[in-house]
Amino acid sequence: MIGTNVSSSILDRLADELPELTPEARKAATYVLENPRDVGVSTVREIAEAAKVKPNTLVRMARQVGFEGYDDFREPFRDAIRRGAADFPDRARWLQDISKSGELGRLYADMVQGALSNIEDTFAGISAEDLKVAAETIWQSNNVFTLGVGVNNSSARNFTYLASTGMVRFHAIPRAGSNAIDDLAWADKADTLIAITCRPYRAEVVEAVERAHEQGMKIIAISDSPASPIIRAADHGFVISCDTPQFFPSSVSIIALLETLLSFVIAVASDEIVDRVETFHKRRHQLGLYHAGEK
């Protein structure tokens, strides 16, 4: 139904109730029926704004179809996203076909399934408002340090590289020949630390977060469990999924989250950011850093 198999019984009930709803509740229900995937990833305020109704209208709509409130109504949609049932209606059949092609085909299917599930699971638990608040913290900081070691070092450096095309005072740590705690020696409450570590948690990242907290820095933590020591110490914590059929943890959802966070930073930044990115891009052309045929 409506391109998704999420909670079809709920959607059917909602469709049956349409004639009985008030005009405003009918607007809300129509939006849900046409955009069921949005229900699982958006707050009640975001859905209300998109449907052009008040948040209380969504609460009344949810009660009309047998739920105590909007949160109870939304939970099956969130669960469907966690199970990978909402975004790709034909994905299950496609993966089953791949798995029949042999050992490598099964591995391919498992890896693809893991990558898609990690991204879906990650963003199912994160709201746009969460990202907006973290982005505002970053934009308002004097300095932003991005800390990742091991497999997460490249993710931290990629975030810093992309941010530096339009903004200054972004630093990937640990710097070559240094350590994270020394790199944060002069940071204070005007600065922000973005820290990344997943189980088994890297001791140097946990210790750097502890020192940053003592220095009054704002902390944005990315980890794979709400119980992670860096999540517990963070002002803004984001729990990601990094499951994989292989022995190494997946970085897909971390990269996706960092890219999304950076897009939010640019969105909340002042207008000058567009000119700075354009100037940076033009400078590269002038210096011959791009192939002559590229514009």
Side-chain angles (χ1 to χ4, degrees):
M1 182 178 185
I2 321 295
T4 178
N5 59 5
V6 53
S7 306
S8 58
S9 62
I10 297 174
L11 297 176
D12 289 341
R13 251 189 293 165
L14 197 57
D16 291 341
E17 290 289 340
L18 273 179
E20 308 301 322
L21 297 176
T22 65
E24 284 299 288
R26 195 176 305 128
K27 281 173 58 178
T30 299
Y31 182 86
V32 169
L33 288 168
E34 292 176 350
N35 304 275
R37 193 182 74 84
D38 290 358
V39 177
V41 298
S42 305
T43 65
V44 63
R45 191 171 298 279
E46 290 166 346
I47 292 291
E49 183 176 342
K52 296 181 172 56
V53 298
K54 295 180 179 179
N56 283 344
T57 301
L58 286 164
V59 175
R60 290 195 297 271
M61 178 205 72
R63 289 173 177 167
Q64 185 79 27
V65 291
F67 292 87
E68 290 186 3
Y70 183 77
D71 286 344
D72 292 330
F73 174 83
R74 183 177 63 169
E75 187 53 32
F77 293 84
R78 292 175 69 88
D79 183 60
I81 292 173
R82 287 191 288 267
R83 291 184 288 103
D87 268 352
F88 303 92
D90 296 323
R91 189 179 65 190
R93 286 191 295 273
W94 173 65
L95 289 174
Q96 285 178 349
D97 289 341
I98 292 175
S99 71
K100 295 174 184 176
S101 65
E103 292 298 325
L104 290 180
R106 280 193 287 274
L107 174 60
Y108 179 47
D110 289 343
M111 291 300 295
V112 172
Q113 174 72 69
L116 294 173
S117 295
N118 283 335
I119 291 177
E120 291 174 356
D121 290 349
T122 294
F123 285 99
I126 297 171
S127 72
E129 184 62 24
D130 294 334
L131 287 166
K132 177 176 179 288
V133 174
E136 289 171 341
T137 296
I138 290 171
W139 176 246
Q140 293 162 7
S141 297
N142 283 350
N143 293 282
V144 179
F145 299 86
T146 309
L147 169 59
V149 298
V151 69
N152 294 317
N153 184 257
S154 60
S155 297
R157 294 189 179 281
N158 183 61
F159 177 86
T160 301
Y161 167 76
L162 293 173
S164 297
T165 62
M167 294 170 279
V168 296
R169 298 180 178 177
F170 277 72
H171 317 279
I173 61 173
R175 297 185 177 99
S178 184
N179 62 73
I181 292 177
D182 283 348
D183 292 336
L184 296 174
W186 308 115
D188 57 28
K189 63 182 180 180
D191 303 319
T192 292
L193 171 64
I194 303 173
I196 312 165
T197 189
C198 297
R199 288 169 289 184
Y201 308 116
R202 291 291 294 260
E204 61 264 54
V205 176
V206 175
E207 187 175 1
V209 167
E210 292 172 350
R211 299 289 85 77
H213 181 73
E214 291 173 358
Q215 292 168 218
M217 295 181 69
K218 297 292 190 300
I219 298 168
I220 298 172
I222 300 173
S223 192
D224 61 340
S225 169
S228 166
I230 69 168
I231 292 287
R232 296 199 307 270
D235 299 280
H236 311 286
F238 296 101
V239 177
I240 57 90
S241 177
C242 58
D243 295 336
T244 175
Q246 293 300 302
F247 64 90
F248 48 84
S250 172
S251 299
V252 170
S253 57
I254 293 174
I255 294 170
L257 175 60
L258 286 171
E259 290 181 353
T260 306
L261 178 59
L262 182 56
S263 74
F264 271 64
V265 174
I266 294 171
V268 303
S270 56
D271 293 342
E272 68 187 67
I273 193 68
V274 178
D275 293 333
R276 291 180 64 86
V277 171
E278 185 176 9
T279 299
F280 185 90
H281 189 63
K282 286 181 178 178
R283 178 178 177 276
R284 283 181 158 182
H285 279 292
Q286 292 166 354
L287 294 176
L289 297 180
Y290 292 128
H291 185 269
E294 297 294 330
K295 296 295 182 184

Tab-separated table of all heavy atoms in Angstrom, residues 201-227:
chain	number	residue	atom	x	y	z
A	201	TYR	N	35.551	0.056	22.559
A	201	TYR	CA	35.824	1.488	22.542
A	201	TYR	C	37.316	1.775	22.714
A	201	TYR	O	37.972	1.198	23.575
A	201	TYR	CB	35.031	2.181	23.653
A	201	TYR	CG	33.562	1.835	23.612
A	201	TYR	CD1	32.955	1.141	24.653
A	201	TYR	CD2	32.785	2.180	22.508
A	201	TYR	CE1	31.613	0.813	24.606
A	201	TYR	CE2	31.435	1.853	22.456
A	201	TYR	CZ	30.850	1.157	23.507
A	201	TYR	OH	29.531	0.821	23.446
A	202	ARG	N	37.827	2.678	21.877
A	202	ARG	CA	39.236	3.037	21.958
A	202	ARG	C	39.485	3.917	23.180
A	202	ARG	O	38.845	4.947	23.366
A	202	ARG	CB	39.672	3.746	20.678
A	202	ARG	CG	39.697	2.839	19.459
A	202	ARG	CD	40.808	1.800	19.538
A	202	ARG	NE	42.120	2.410	19.479
A	202	ARG	CZ	42.869	2.457	18.369
A	202	ARG	NH1	42.413	1.933	17.239
A	202	ARG	NH2	44.059	3.022	18.390
A	203	ALA	N	40.436	3.484	24.003
A	203	ALA	CA	40.698	4.158	25.276
A	203	ALA	C	41.091	5.614	25.069
A	203	ALA	O	40.689	6.493	25.844
A	203	ALA	CB	41.799	3.415	26.037
A	204	GLU	N	41.881	5.907	24.013
A	204	GLU	CA	42.333	7.281	23.824
A	204	GLU	C	41.195	8.220	23.452
A	204	GLU	O	41.224	9.407	23.786
A	204	GLU	CB	43.456	7.352	22.770
A	204	GLU	CG	43.061	6.863	21.385
A	204	GLU	CD	43.441	5.420	21.133
A	204	GLU	OE1	43.040	4.561	21.957
A	204	GLU	OE2	44.116	5.156	20.122
A	205	VAL	N	40.161	7.676	22.783
A	205	VAL	CA	39.009	8.505	22.447
A	205	VAL	C	38.176	8.777	23.700
A	205	VAL	O	37.751	9.906	23.947
A	205	VAL	CB	38.150	7.830	21.355
A	205	VAL	CG1	36.889	8.643	21.081
A	205	VAL	CG2	38.956	7.658	20.076
A	206	VAL	N	37.949	7.743	24.492
A	206	VAL	CA	37.184	7.911	25.739
A	206	VAL	C	37.893	8.905	26.660
A	206	VAL	O	37.259	9.803	27.240
A	206	VAL	CB	37.005	6.555	26.452
A	206	VAL	CG1	36.315	6.753	27.807
A	206	VAL	CG2	36.196	5.599	25.580
A	207	GLU	N	39.217	8.764	26.782
A	207	GLU	CA	39.967	9.677	27.661
A	207	GLU	C	39.933	11.106	27.125
A	207	GLU	O	39.793	12.060	27.907
A	207	GLU	CB	41.414	9.207	27.801
A	207	GLU	CG	42.190	10.001	28.835
A	207	GLU	CD	43.586	9.456	29.070
A	207	GLU	OE1	43.959	8.461	28.422
A	207	GLU	OE2	44.307	10.052	29.896
A	208	ALA	N	40.025	11.279	25.811
A	208	ALA	CA	39.979	12.617	25.228
A	208	ALA	C	38.626	13.271	25.485
A	208	ALA	O	38.553	14.474	25.762
A	208	ALA	CB	40.267	12.548	23.729
A	209	VAL	N	37.555	12.492	25.403
A	209	VAL	CA	36.219	13.028	25.687
A	209	VAL	C	36.123	13.461	27.147
A	209	VAL	O	35.551	14.518	27.469
A	209	VAL	CB	35.136	11.979	25.343
A	209	VAL	CG1	33.776	12.379	25.923
A	209	VAL	CG2	35.035	11.800	23.835
A	210	GLU	N	36.682	12.655	28.049
A	210	GLU	CA	36.661	13.008	29.470
A	210	GLU	C	37.408	14.320	29.723
A	210	GLU	O	36.942	15.193	30.461
A	210	GLU	CB	37.275	11.874	30.294
A	210	GLU	CG	36.426	10.611	30.307
A	210	GLU	CD	37.140	9.438	30.953
A	210	GLU	OE1	38.369	9.570	31.224
A	210	GLU	OE2	36.500	8.393	31.182
A	211	ARG	N	38.580	14.472	29.100
A	211	ARG	CA	39.364	15.715	29.271
A	211	ARG	C	38.621	16.898	28.654
A	211	ARG	O	38.607	17.996	29.226
A	211	ARG	CB	40.737	15.575	28.598
A	211	ARG	CG	41.627	14.477	29.142
A	211	ARG	CD	42.161	14.788	30.531
A	211	ARG	NE	41.217	14.413	31.587
A	211	ARG	CZ	41.013	13.176	31.992
A	211	ARG	NH1	41.680	12.174	31.451
A	211	ARG	NH2	40.152	12.918	32.950
A	212	ALA	N	38.005	16.676	27.488
A	212	ALA	CA	37.262	17.749	26.824
A	212	ALA	C	36.101	18.211	27.689
A	212	ALA	O	35.817	19.413	27.786
A	212	ALA	CB	36.751	17.264	25.465
A	213	HIS	N	35.440	17.261	28.334
A	213	HIS	CA	34.330	17.597	29.236
A	213	HIS	C	34.824	18.444	30.406
A	213	HIS	O	34.184	19.443	30.785
A	213	HIS	CB	33.679	16.313	29.734
A	213	HIS	CG	32.513	16.536	30.645
A	213	HIS	ND1	31.288	16.983	30.201
A	213	HIS	CD2	32.387	16.393	31.992
A	213	HIS	CE1	30.459	17.101	31.221
A	213	HIS	NE2	31.108	16.751	32.324
A	214	GLU	N	35.959	18.074	30.953
A	214	GLU	CA	36.527	18.832	32.064
A	214	GLU	C	36.898	20.251	31.646
A	214	GLU	O	36.836	21.187	32.456
A	214	GLU	CB	37.767	18.110	32.600
A	214	GLU	CG	37.448	16.796	33.304
A	214	GLU	CD	38.706	16.020	33.664
A	214	GLU	OE1	39.819	16.512	33.328
A	214	GLU	OE2	38.579	14.937	34.264
A	215	GLN	N	37.285	20.412	30.374
A	215	GLN	CA	37.675	21.726	29.866
A	215	GLN	C	36.475	22.569	29.433
A	215	GLN	O	36.649	23.704	28.995
A	215	GLN	CB	38.653	21.554	28.695
A	215	GLN	CG	40.003	20.992	29.117
A	215	GLN	CD	40.868	20.537	27.954
A	215	GLN	OE1	41.563	19.524	28.035
A	215	GLN	NE2	40.834	21.275	26.846
A	216	GLY	N	35.285	22.013	29.551
A	216	GLY	CA	34.079	22.758	29.223
A	216	GLY	C	33.686	22.737	27.764
A	216	GLY	O	32.780	23.473	27.352
A	217	MET	N	34.349	21.911	26.961
A	217	MET	CA	34.020	21.838	25.545
A	217	MET	C	32.637	21.224	25.337
A	217	MET	O	32.167	20.412	26.138
A	217	MET	CB	35.052	20.973	24.797
A	217	MET	CG	36.452	21.538	24.771
A	217	MET	SD	37.582	20.443	23.849
A	217	MET	CE	36.966	20.665	22.173
A	218	LYS	N	31.969	21.589	24.246
A	218	LYS	CA	30.766	20.902	23.815
A	218	LYS	C	31.194	19.600	23.140
A	218	LYS	O	32.184	19.563	22.397
A	218	LYS	CB	29.974	21.751	22.831
A	218	LYS	CG	29.449	23.059	23.416
A	218	LYS	CD	28.384	22.802	24.454
A	218	LYS	CE	27.693	24.098	24.865
A	218	LYS	NZ	28.636	25.092	25.443
A	219	ILE	N	30.451	18.526	23.390
A	219	ILE	CA	30.839	17.219	22.867
A	219	ILE	C	29.706	16.639	22.031
A	219	ILE	O	28.566	16.532	22.497
A	219	ILE	CB	31.196	16.252	24.007
A	219	ILE	CG1	32.393	16.788	24.789
A	219	ILE	CG2	31.512	14.862	23.445
A	219	ILE	CD1	32.652	16.068	26.092
A	220	ILE	N	30.038	16.274	20.799
A	220	ILE	CA	29.133	15.540	19.917
A	220	ILE	C	29.727	14.151	19.757
A	220	ILE	O	30.853	14.005	19.268
A	220	ILE	CB	28.981	16.229	18.549
A	220	ILE	CG1	28.368	17.623	18.719
A	220	ILE	CG2	28.138	15.381	17.598
A	220	ILE	CD1	28.354	18.454	17.446
A	221	ALA	N	29.015	13.132	20.205
A	221	ALA	CA	29.551	11.772	20.208
A	221	ALA	C	28.806	10.893	19.214
A	221	ALA	O	27.578	10.965	19.104
A	221	ALA	CB	29.460	11.170	21.603
A	222	ILE	N	29.561	10.064	18.509
A	222	ILE	CA	29.000	9.092	17.576
A	222	ILE	C	29.513	7.721	17.988
A	222	ILE	O	30.724	7.473	17.995
A	222	ILE	CB	29.403	9.403	16.129
A	222	ILE	CG1	28.895	10.790	15.721
A	222	ILE	CG2	28.874	8.331	15.178
A	222	ILE	CD1	29.394	11.250	14.357
A	223	SER	N	28.596	6.818	18.361
A	223	SER	CA	28.988	5.498	18.825
A	223	SER	C	27.859	4.515	18.529
A	223	SER	O	26.808	4.901	18.016
A	223	SER	CB	29.326	5.526	20.312
A	223	SER	OG	29.973	4.333	20.714
A	224	ASP	N	28.078	3.241	18.869
A	224	ASP	CA	27.130	2.201	18.466
A	224	ASP	C	26.236	1.706	19.592
A	224	ASP	O	25.564	0.692	19.436
A	224	ASP	CB	27.883	1.020	17.851
A	224	ASP	CG	28.861	0.373	18.824
A	224	ASP	OD1	29.232	1.038	19.821
A	224	ASP	OD2	29.255	-0.780	18.589
A	225	SER	N	26.211	2.406	20.726
A	225	SER	CA	25.359	1.986	21.833
A	225	SER	C	25.022	3.172	22.723
A	225	SER	O	25.887	4.024	22.969
A	225	SER	CB	26.067	0.920	22.671
A	225	SER	OG	25.362	0.686	23.879
A	226	PRO	N	23.784	3.227	23.229
A	226	PRO	CA	23.438	4.278	24.193
A	226	PRO	C	24.279	4.182	25.460
A	226	PRO	O	24.399	5.153	26.199
A	226	PRO	CB	21.958	4.009	24.492
A	226	PRO	CG	21.463	3.199	23.351
A	226	PRO	CD	22.631	2.369	22.898
A	227	ALA	N	24.845	2.994	25.720
A	227	ALA	CA	25.674	2.800	26.905
A	227	ALA	C	27.135	3.159	26.680
A	227	ALA	O	27.946	3.070	27.600
A	227	ALA	CB	25.582	1.344	27.366
